[in-house]
Amino acid sequence: MSNACTIRVDKLLSSMGYGTRKQIVQLARSGRIIFDQGEVLDATVRIPFSADLPRRLMVEGRPLDPLSGMVIMMNKPVGMTCSHKEAGALIYDILPTRWRRRTPAISTIGRLDKQTSGLLLLTDDGTLLHRISSPRSQVRKIYRARLARPLSGTEIALFASGTLTLKGEGTPLAPAVLEEISETDALITVTEGRYHQVRRMFAAAGNFVEELQRERLGDLCLPDDFAPGQWKLLSKKEIALVFQ
Ligand code: URA
């Protein structure tokens, strides 16, 4: 087999977090790496690197994990942090443990703060991550906020003005859209991702956000029955919705 479009089993599996090269050798020796429903593989063998590998390669009795280029949709629970290394509960704890050891690493596309829940995307595709999070892409982020005090009526104009500058910042926010749902509930659409942006916007309007949830990114939303902590891989079609 030529080296074009092939990969060594130990290199592939260690980059996917299955273990060190040494551990992969042990796995192979015990006959737990199987190709095309029968061929027991040696760790040093090269196999074709193609999109159908997760269907063709079994590791410890299970199909190979998704190859790199994955996009994960998660319903982030309140109380978990979007960080690889902070103390406390991290959103990466929700995913399979070995996914923490993958190269390229899986990272969140933007962040939700610890007390914010809802739609969170993660990927190991750096180009896509940049495309979605760059303010130039103008991806709409839609949040539902529950407020401590009734809306005053001035927020729609203030947020839409393009002149609101948050405390400690020098550049005004891009115009944002506020839709009143009730006296103390609102939908807010922003195209930037500044630090604690929505909470700080309401603070600038003299209010306080008690609960915050991200409902949509572009036209992509969480399925109705998606519980906090639930996640799934997205198809190309679903990813495209983010840019609509
Ligand atoms: N705005 C916030 O205040 N928090 C988030 O997590 C996202 C937007």
Side-chain angles (χ1 to χ4, degrees), residues 10 17 28-29 42 194:
D10 54 356
R29 281 204 185 126
D42 190 84
R194 300 204 202 178

Side-chain angles (χ1 to χ4, degrees), residues 9-241:
V9 169
D10 54 356
K11 183 173 181 211
L12 172 73
L13 295 189
S14 61
S15 75
M16 294 177 78
Y18 283 91
T20 60
R21 295 266 183 120
K22 220 167 159 185
Q23 288 166 329
I24 308 298
V25 168
Q26 291 303 326
L27 263 185
R29 281 204 185 126
S30 55
R32 284 181 289 168
I33 307 176
I34 294 175
F35 194 55
D36 279 349
Q37 296 174 8
E39 190 187 346
V40 176
L41 291 185
D42 190 84
T44 57
V45 112
R46 298 189 78 91
I47 51 172
F49 186 70
S50 54
D52 62 357
L53 255 189
R55 263 176 283 137
R56 299 178 73 184
L57 192 64
M58 301 288 284
V59 185
E60 298 185 286
R62 318 191 83 172
L64 181 71
D65 289 340
L67 298 177
S68 58
M70 62 162 111
V71 181
I72 302 159
M73 166 196 268
M74 181 185 284
N75 185 358
K76 179 194 172 290
V78 168
M80 296 191 108
T81 308
C82 294
S83 161
H84 281 286
K85 47 181 187 255
E86 275 175 48
L90 308 179
I91 48 105
Y92 298 99
D93 299 342
I94 293 173
L95 300 173
T97 314
R98 68 170 163 266
W99 288 17
R100 285 177 177 231
R101 300 188 293 266
R102 285 175 66 115
T103 312
I106 298 170
S107 303
T108 61
I109 304 181
R111 287 177 172 213
L112 291 177
D113 69 58
K114 189 172 176 181
Q115 297 311 325
T116 297
S117 61
L119 174 56
L120 181 68
L121 298 184
L122 301 97
T123 189
D124 56 5
D125 178 343
T127 308
L128 180 73
L129 188 150
H130 185 257
R131 237 184 105 209
I132 295 179
S133 30
S134 165
R136 269 201 236 144
S137 301
Q138 294 277 299
V139 167
R140 289 173 299 121
K141 302 153 185 86
I142 296 107
Y143 296 86
R144 178 182 286 261
R146 168 147 298 165
L147 304 165
R149 287 178 276 284
L151 289 158
S152 68
T154 59
E155 297 87 350
I156 291 180
L158 178 67
F159 293 169
S161 68
T163 60
L164 173 61
T165 302
L166 296 175
K167 233 180 181 173
E169 294 194 1
T171 323
L173 292 172
V177 177
L178 181 127
E179 197 184 317
E180 188 174 335
I181 294 172
S182 75
E183 274 195 331
T184 53
D185 290 285
L187 284 181
I188 172 152
T189 304
V190 300
T191 53
E192 298 169 290
R194 300 204 202 178
Y195 180 72
H196 288 189
Q197 181 169 338
V198 174
R199 295 180 191 277
R200 291 164 73 208
M201 286 168 75
F202 280 105
N207 212 324
F208 178 80
V209 174
E210 286 188 328
E211 280 174 41
L212 188 61
Q213 185 179 20
R214 183 152 68 193
E215 297 217 322
R216 270 173 37 212
L217 283 169
D219 279 351
L220 179 73
C221 38
L222 289 169
D224 284 342
D225 54 353
F226 224 56
Q230 211 172 327
W231 61 272
K232 68 166 192 161
L233 295 179
L234 291 185
S235 66
K236 294 229 170 344
K237 216 166 154 186
E238 289 170 312
I239 297 162
L241 292 173

